Amino acid sequence: MTDVASESPTAVRVVGQAYKILVLAAWFALIVGFAELTVLGVRKFILDQMLFVGPQVIWMTPLSYVLFFVAIGLMLQGIAWKWPRLVSLRTTVFLFTFLAAFSFLFLWYPRLHKLAILLLTLGLAVHAARLSATRAEGVQRLVGRTVGWMAGLVLIMAVGLHGWRALVEHGEMAKLAPARAQAPNVLLIVLDTVRAQSLSVYGYQRPTTPQLEKLAKRGVRFERAISTAPWTAPAHASMFTGRWPHELSIGWLTPLDATYPTLAEVLGARGYATAGFVANVRYTGYETGLNRGFIHFEDYPTSFGEIVISSSLGRFITNSPRLRQAVGCHDLLDRKAAANINEAFLDWQAGQPGRPFFAFLNYFDAHEPYAPPKPFDSMFGPVRPRGPFMHEANRGWRGDKWAMSQEETQAEVDAYESAIAYLDHQLGQLFDELERRKVLDNTVVIVTSDHGEQLGEHGLFGHLNSLYMPLLHVPLLISYPAAVPTGLSVSAPVSPRDLPATIMNILKLEETTSFPGTSLTQHWGATDKIHNSPKNTVLSELSRGFVERDYYPVAKGNMKSLVIGRYHYIQNGDGSQELYDLGIDPTEQNNLGRSEEGYQALQLFRESLDKLLAQNSSSE
């Protein structure tokens, strides 16, 4: 590659010049992409860290850098077209060396001082530019000989990963034992971050869930389902294992280990085809261990947005609040909408003739940032200005919801509930298609949520921060015409932790495999005595983890709560206690623990908590 400046460029020279610039851009992009993969590999396989990336990074990360570097190369070519003397091999190498070094050092070593990183990257870029000027032909040969090999390696990794997955899945399906004749299917649907109090199926005034209302008429609605945790990973793990969160290994940066069997493993051993389709790729993805037992599992999508954020440079650029504000994009670039989950599941289900299935669907549409598609974005009023914050894809939040005006807060509520309405609509589409395929009547359908959401209650937003009812009270509906009553409402407090035992009971498999907990079928036709039994004690837990703000309740330390009958007891990390009578105080405004009578009651609840925890410890 010679100096690309030209006194009177011809069309041929311009094309050749552009080609050389773009090839050089791709070469640098692939170099830094493979360097980043090396760091990821060390962190994953040597340091045993959770990275929150999909296996596709082995080809998506280099490709992501290629997209950005080639885009910069095109801009550079535009400059060369107008001012050809400004662009040479030396300046091109300087620019791409600087970008590559910056991408690697600044984004992977943030503890280094920014000035030190800048000086180091400038030094590397200057040295590389000088070297290219004195050894232009050598640089040409090196780039020409290696760029094709690196690009080919990316292609091989992409095709190889897809082929390896298909081969493994085919082998696992071939090993399945025969299933019991006429065995029903099981469809477990988890609506991530959906609280019961915002659903019309639970009496909310807005028509957010007409499809779930139809489902409730076909089966049983549990009025007081209480999540085991106010965040995704432990709540799902409880639903899969029948265990309370403190019994499980799963945490903020630790996966679910193999100590206890999962529902997918048990049903797979009984001849069920098992599949998971998740939209919350961070905390229900394969790295969490929640994929254990699923023969087919889809988490991180293969999409343009996923490719863009598969590199550190891509995440750095797309997480810019100013850029997002300028382009009007507030959503996650790798968002898998409910329609995508439906399509993936239905495509898979169509290929499972003659064998019952256990499918787990996780929908993420009601999770912040709330971004319902049209026409649902204006379902509960005009699209209004959102809060002065910006969600960073895979990195948390910027800005402060607590600084929002009343109008902005209401806009958040409207957007959240509009997202629920979109999700409900998609559930209706799913059920209609399963009915058209004559599958629905032979399927145990369970719809629930992992946790709820706070939208200003107790001065809090989001989740992960407390154990108040907006986070714990979740929907739970079960439908199966052959064994589940229709149109029944259960008022007793129940836990999704009991779902594995319930499913095994409905499938009549509990004699061969026992999950802890009690089948929820005990509540069908039960008396008030059973509803108010101490056995209906429901435990919820929250570990301190990563506390964003010191005024979060969980900032005091690990929290636990009990729901017994109509009362909700909370034990805070500093030893303080709260007690609420949900029958007369559903919004938890009056802490009964502040009165003398309530203080005495607190001791009874604390004893109940200690006894429950002791029972779990002795049973291990």
Side-chain angles (χ1 to χ4, degrees), residues 261-272 293 504 509 512-513 515:
T262 66
L263 188 58
E265 287 179 309
V266 171
L267 292 180
R270 301 299 181 274
Y272 276 72
M504 299 304 286
L509 295 174
T512 57
T513 303
F515 280 101

Side-chain angles (χ1 to χ4, degrees), residues 14-53:
V14 169
V15 171
Q17 170 183 288
Y19 173 78
K20 292 174 182 179
I21 290 177
L22 296 182
V23 168
L24 194 61
W27 186 83
F28 272 98
L30 292 168
I31 289 291
V32 71
F34 285 120
E36 184 164 312
L37 285 180
T38 301
V39 174
L40 288 173
V42 170
R43 291 178 57 187
K44 179 67 176 177
F45 300 108
I46 297 179
L47 302 180
D48 196 27
Q49 296 178 352
M50 289 179 66
L51 304 178
F52 301 108
V53 297

Side-chain angles (χ1 to χ4, degrees), residues 357-594:
F357 65 79
F358 167 52
F360 158 57
L361 312 185
N362 166 273
Y363 295 90
F364 201 60
D365 304 85
H367 194 287
E368 209 278 341
Y370 320 123
K374 294 180 179 180
F376 293 91
D377 58 343
S378 59
M379 183 170 180
F380 298 120
V383 180
R384 291 178 284 183
R386 302 292 296 281
F389 65 95
M390 184 78 66
H391 188 283
E392 293 185 281
N394 303 321
R395 295 296 183 188
W397 290 266
R398 282 188 179 274
D400 198 337
K401 287 191 176 184
W402 291 262
M404 291 192 299
S405 66
Q406 184 176 355
E407 181 185 16
E408 289 167 335
T409 300
Q410 185 59 49
E412 286 297 292
V413 173
D414 292 346
Y416 172 72
E417 293 174 354
S418 296
I420 291 175
Y422 163 72
L423 178 51
D424 179 79
H425 172 75
Q426 289 296 324
L427 290 178
Q429 299 285 96
L430 173 66
F431 297 148
D432 288 346
E433 178 58 23
L434 290 176
E435 190 167 26
R436 188 190 68 79
R437 297 183 182 187
K438 302 186 184 308
V439 171
L440 190 61
D441 284 346
N442 193 41
T443 300
V444 180
V445 177
I446 301 171
V447 177
T448 187
S449 175
D450 51 351
H451 58 81
E453 188 81 319
Q454 288 173 138
L455 295 166
E457 297 87 0
H458 293 274
L460 299 170
F461 289 83
H463 44 279
L464 303 163
N465 50 40
S466 76
L467 290 178
Y468 293 119
M469 277 297 116
L471 296 186
L472 299 182
H473 186 197
V474 295
L476 177 56
L477 302 98
I478 301 179
S479 172
Y480 176 48
V484 177
T486 59
L488 177 66
S489 291
V490 173
S491 61
V494 299
S495 174
R497 172 243 189 183
D498 290 324
L499 285 176
T502 304
I503 291 171
M504 299 304 286
N505 179 246
I506 294 175
L507 299 182
K508 295 181 171 37
L509 295 174
E510 72 272 23
E511 294 182 1
T512 57
T513 303
S514 175
F515 280 101
T518 305
S519 173
L520 297 177
T521 59
Q522 67 166 326
H523 297 286
W524 302 342
T527 64
D528 290 340
K529 182 179 180 180
I530 294 179
H531 288 329
N532 297 318
S533 169
K535 292 183 179 180
N536 292 328
T537 299
V538 179
L539 173 68
S540 302
E541 303 176 79
L542 176 60
S543 59
R544 190 174 188 275
F546 305 112
V547 178
E548 295 179 353
R549 303 179 187 277
D550 57 9
Y551 55 85
Y552 281 176
V554 74
K556 301 174 184 178
N558 296 347
M559 304 177 66
K560 298 183 186 297
S561 83
L562 290 180
V563 172
I564 304 178
R566 57 192 278 180
Y567 292 95
H568 183 206
Y569 165 77
I570 300 175
Q571 184 183 94
N572 294 302
D574 60 357
S576 62
Q577 304 170 87
E578 302 173 52
L579 181 63
Y580 300 97
D581 184 346
L582 300 177
I584 61 175
D585 181 25
T587 59
E588 299 169 299
Q589 300 299 310
N590 181 26
N591 181 6
L592 299 177
R594 294 170 181 166

Side-chain angles (χ1 to χ4, degrees), residues 147-322:
V147 68
W149 286 103
M150 289 191 291
L153 180 58
V154 172
L155 179 61
I156 290 172
M157 289 190 296
V159 175
L161 178 63
H162 179 77
W164 175 78
R165 282 180 156 181
L167 187 64
V168 170
E169 182 175 332
H170 178 76
E172 291 297 317
M173 287 294 296
K175 291 189 298 183
L176 284 179
R180 192 179 75 242
Q182 304 301 315
N185 308 303
V186 179
L187 179 60
L188 174 59
I189 295 174
V190 179
L191 313 178
D192 208 299
T193 322
V194 171
R195 62 187 195 176
Q197 72 184 67
S198 289
L199 309 185
S200 57
V201 69
Y202 284 93
Y204 188 53
Q205 67 273 19
R206 281 178 165 175
T208 52
T209 53
Q211 299 303 321
L212 289 185
E213 291 174 45
K214 293 180 182 178
L215 183 67
K217 294 177 181 178
R218 292 171 51 95
V220 175
R221 181 190 66 181
F222 292 88
E223 298 177 9
R224 300 177 61 202
I226 308 299
S227 176
T228 58
W231 69 288
T232 297
H236 278 80
S238 288
M239 284 187 268
F240 286 1
T241 64
R243 300 281 173 172
W244 301 112
H246 71 270
E247 300 178 89
L248 301 169
S249 63
I250 198 165
W252 302 94
L253 295 174
T254 53
L256 178 68
D257 62 25
T259 301
Y260 302 110
T262 66
L263 188 58
E265 287 179 309
V266 171
L267 292 180
R270 301 299 181 274
Y272 276 72
T274 57
F277 303 85
V278 303
N280 186 340
V281 295
R282 286 176 63 80
Y283 280 111
T284 60
Y286 79 102
E287 281 190 296
T288 64
L290 294 173
N291 67 323
R292 183 155 48 89
F294 290 107
I295 295 175
H296 182 87
F297 194 79
E298 296 186 22
D299 47 12
Y300 291 86
T302 302
S303 64
F304 178 77
E306 183 69 22
I307 292 173
V308 167
I309 64 173
S310 288
S311 67
S312 295
L313 180 62
R315 291 190 293 272
F316 176 77
I317 293 174
T318 58
N319 284 340
S320 168
R322 291 184 179 179

